[in-house]
Amino acid sequence: MPKENVVDGVQNAPHRSLFHALGLTEEEQSRPLIGIVSSYNEIVPGHMNIDKIVNAVKLGVAMAGGTPIVFPAIAVCDGIAMGHTGMKYSLVTRDLIADSTEAMTLAHGFDGLVMVPNCDKNVPGLLMAAARVNIPTVFVSGGPMLAGKVEGRKTSLSSMFEAVGSYHAGKIDDAKLREYECKTCPTCGSCSGMYTANSMNCLTEALGMGLRGNGTIPAVYSARIELAKHAGIAVMDMVHKQIRPRDIMTKEALMNALTVDMALGCSTNSMLHLPAIAHECGVALDLDLANEISAKTPNLCHLAPAGRTYMEDLDEAGGVYAVMHELNKKGLLHTDCMTVTGKTVGENIAGCINLDTEVIRPIDHPYSETGGIAVLKGNLAPEGCVVKRSAVLPEMLVHEGPARVFDCEEDAQAAINAGSIVAGDVVVIRYEGPKGGPGMREMLNPTSAIMGMGLGNSVALITDGRFSGATRGACIGHITPEAASGGMIGIVEEGDRICINIPENTITLKVEKTILEERMKTFVPKKKELTGYLKRYASQVSGGASGAILN
């Protein structure tokens, strides 16, 4: 065990003296040392309750005969960071989290880990770290927020952003905007729709790295505390059996996660994070595989923003395991994959029936026969781009219109607010990719404004940046290569015709090939003056199609 490097033998007497400085008894030092990675902070609503989760994990570890030791991980609230420079620091934290957790784990000789994440980049960053250090590890998240309620209807953060668009369009007044502001986010927890945080927490279950309920039990429910205790107990069982993350996160398990992703209609950000996690596991996860899995995986859930059900509803309907049970009726899962329970996927989901067919559609009555995410390719995105197909209105699945071109999010937002974007347009936002942003900002403000102004059935938006899981509509992100890397999105001109065909998985800049070749000959990508971490990140990051991993 790694603990032997810091505790056992005469040579480690200096190390033991430092453990005594921590107040650890000889009895505690003799037990497996379990690191608990706490993402607690007082700025992210999804993390303000994690101190209670961590205390419960500690109790579970101690009950099972281990010594729990807490160390921190950072997290950014994408909602608070949205629409300004702060969003450049969201995706980049995924690698900071993975790197710092790797450093803390291997420097201190832990025998096992319990990861306690919740929001957006925090979850994939810790999954990446788990794969790297490859010691027994269990995940237990902080849990989702309860939905808000305005005028008797459930709401979530996407409703709030769209309310701002409605306000600019003169559809609601100050008082109504204030009501949304005060009622949309009523509790702690990750925002209540199938946004990135909840997507990744649910996919952690599908991967086999979290216990049942990890993705869906609301943050404020006492069952979340019980789950945390069980996670502490589970990691001790894994230590004794030496079940490790790479035993669990195999290629087949990652394919299970992609399948569940399609059924749930998860955030497009999963198309960044799953390839990055796979990379740390030594598994190649090509974006083309997403369409292959989507083609045979029915979309069973329309959680917000795609529909009007929320995480609490999914939990009451049976959660992720119930979705997996439905999928398994058609043999769509690899059921022999190992999980943190010490049992296989098949053993875990046996008998986990669907308790609400309005929240989780039966496998023979899906929302659609194909999955919730699509990867598009064409001359505008030869390496690919992604769209949350399940959140696109039927009339926008095929759309052609003139390009309205902007070199940053702020310029596009100003044009939308000013009423300059009209029905039929295709808004193009470039230089927001992993290198060009840098940091690949989420575009929730402009997409929400388009929906809030009533243009969701007539305007598309494409970008080499990305979207929040709260985005809905014909919004295509991760266009690769990005403008800053010389991609064709960088030579799109105002008025060029762009055709988006989601059923056929294509995106096309309808300009004669000879004209495009001439433009490319003189195209020099714009450069930004960068300093600090963003400068280093931009110099190392790969494109969105490969998961924005660091080279």
Side-chain angles (χ1 to χ4, degrees):
M1 286 189 180
K3 175 174 67 69
E4 296 169 356
N5 297 326
V6 295
V7 171
D8 295 351
V10 173
Q11 198 68 27
N12 285 328
H15 304 66
R16 291 195 297 275
S17 72
L18 292 168
F19 280 115
H20 282 296
L22 291 169
L24 293 180
T25 65
E26 290 182 6
E27 292 82 358
E28 287 173 301
Q29 293 179 47
S30 70
R31 298 169 181 166
L33 301 180
I34 306 300
I36 302 173
V37 187
S38 170
S39 305
Y40 169 76
N41 62 53
E42 294 183 341
I43 187 61
V44 184
H47 291 233
M48 62 182 284
N49 65 316
I50 280 179
D51 55 341
K52 297 176 179 61
I53 305 297
V54 166
N55 286 338
V57 172
K58 289 174 67 176
L59 184 56
V61 168
M63 287 165 60
T67 298
I69 302 174
V70 179
F71 64 90
I74 64 169
V76 164
C77 176
D78 279 24
I80 295 174
M82 194 69 65
H84 59 95
T85 301
M87 182 47 70
K88 294 176 186 282
Y89 288 89
S90 173
L91 180 61
V92 305
T93 63
R94 186 184 71 182
D95 296 277
L96 282 176
I97 291 163
D99 293 349
S100 60
T101 302
E102 173 192 0
M104 287 294 290
T105 300
L106 297 182
H108 298 108
F110 290 109
D111 297 306
L113 296 170
V114 179
M115 306 289 200
V116 191
N118 210 22
C119 291
D120 292 53
K121 314 314 159 301
N122 189 236
V123 184
L126 291 179
L127 283 165
M128 290 163 67
R132 283 187 201 172
V133 301
N134 202 35
I135 62 174
T137 303
V138 177
F139 276 66
V140 55
S141 76
M145 183 185 292
L146 292 178
K149 190 169 284 188
V150 176
E151 295 180 342
R153 299 176 72 177
K154 288 184 177 181
T155 62
S156 59
L157 189 63
S158 54
S159 310
M160 182 69 250
F161 276 89
E162 289 178 20
V164 174
S166 296
Y167 178 83
H168 282 299
K171 294 185 175 184
I172 63 173
D173 60 14
D174 290 291
K176 182 57 65 176
L177 184 66
R178 174 69 173 165
E179 183 180 0
Y180 270 99
E181 181 182 331
C182 294
K183 294 182 177 179
T184 294
C185 299
T187 74
C188 62
S190 49
C191 296
S192 55
M194 187 52 79
Y195 310 148
T196 305
N198 293 327
S199 294
M200 294 310 302
N201 283 322
C202 287
L203 296 183
T204 298
E205 275 190 68
L207 275 171
M209 290 296 293
L211 300 175
R212 182 181 184 183
N214 176 72
T216 59
I217 297 172
V220 294
Y221 285 12
S222 296
R224 176 68 51 181
I225 301 297
E226 294 182 36
L227 182 72
K229 292 174 185 175
H230 285 136
I233 294 168
V235 75
M236 291 302 299
D237 185 54
M238 291 179 71
V239 168
H240 294 312
K241 294 177 179 176
Q242 280 302 289
I243 300 172
R244 299 168 184 264
R246 283 184 230 157
D247 299 327
I248 295 170
M249 291 191 285
T250 61
K251 182 173 183 179
E252 291 73 21
L254 286 155
M255 290 176 71
N256 281 347
L258 265 175
T259 300
V260 174
D261 188 342
M262 298 301 170
L264 285 173
C266 289
S267 164
T268 51
N269 282 312
S270 62
M271 294 294 101
L272 281 176
H273 301 321
L274 288 176
I277 294 161
H279 176 74
E280 298 292 349
C281 296
V283 175
L285 200 64
D286 191 275
L287 273 187
D288 290 334
L289 184 62
N291 280 345
E292 291 177 30
I293 290 177
S294 179
K296 61 184 179 182
T297 306
N299 177 227
L300 304 182
C301 298
H302 266 192
L303 293 127
R308 295 200 172 276
T309 52
Y310 296 81
M311 296 307 297
E312 63 211 64
D313 303 312
L314 180 59
D315 188 61
E316 291 172 10
V320 175
Y321 277 19
V323 174
M324 295 175 75
H325 188 267
E326 286 290 338
L327 293 170
N328 199 42
K329 290 177 181 178
K330 287 195 174 180
L332 296 175
L333 297 175
H334 298 275
T335 55
D336 56 350
C337 293
M338 179 52 62
T339 73
V340 293
T341 66
K343 299 177 181 179
T344 65
V345 166
E347 290 173 315
N348 284 344
I349 67 174
C352 296
I353 61 172
N354 180 1
L355 301 175
D356 190 335
T357 56
E358 293 299 313
V359 177
I360 305 171
R361 286 280 185 91
I363 194 76
D364 56 0
H365 181 54
Y367 282 102
S368 67
E369 293 293 341
T370 53
I373 289 177
V375 174
L376 314 183
K377 288 190 175 182
N379 65 348
L380 195 51
E383 295 177 26
C385 54
V386 298
V387 61
K388 189 170 184 174
R389 173 165 46 193
S390 60
V392 178
L393 293 170
E395 58 266 39
M396 290 298 292
L397 290 171
V398 178
H399 179 77
E400 182 177 325
R404 304 297 309 280
V405 183
F406 305 94
D407 286 346
C408 66
E409 177 190 0
E410 288 83 356
D411 289 351
Q413 186 68 46
I416 295 167
N417 290 347
S420 299
I421 303 302
V422 298
D425 286 347
V426 178
V427 177
V428 178
I429 306 177
R430 59 194 181 192
Y431 293 103
E432 291 286 6
K435 286 183 181 293
M440 209 177 186
R441 288 196 290 180
E442 290 182 344
M443 303 289 155
L444 182 55
N445 276 338
T447 61
S448 297
I450 288 169
M451 295 303 294
M453 289 178 165
L455 294 171
N457 63 350
S458 59
V459 170
L461 187 151
I462 69 172
T463 180
D464 52 11
R466 61 194 178 94
F467 300 115
S468 165
T471 287
R472 64 188 179 106
C475 302
I476 294 92
H478 310 189
I479 286 188
T480 313
E482 61 178 291
S485 295
M488 194 167 288
I489 190 173
I491 62 167
V492 177
E493 295 183 358
E494 190 82 6
D496 285 350
R497 304 290 294 182
I498 294 175
C499 180
I500 297 159
N501 191 319
I502 296 172
E504 294 186 4
N505 299 319
T506 61
I507 182 167
T508 308
L509 178 59
K510 298 185 77 173
V511 175
E512 288 185 21
K513 186 177 180 181
T514 54
I515 295 175
L516 293 177
E517 289 172 349
E518 285 301 313
R519 290 184 191 175
M520 288 298 287
K521 286 178 183 178
T522 59
F523 174 43
V524 179
K526 294 182 177 182
K527 301 286 186 183
K528 295 178 181 176
E529 291 296 322
L530 301 171
T531 59
Y533 181 51
L534 290 183
K535 183 176 182 178
R536 282 181 279 131
Y537 183 86
S539 70
Q540 295 177 319
V541 71
S542 68
S546 58
I549 59 174
L550 297 186
N551 295 314

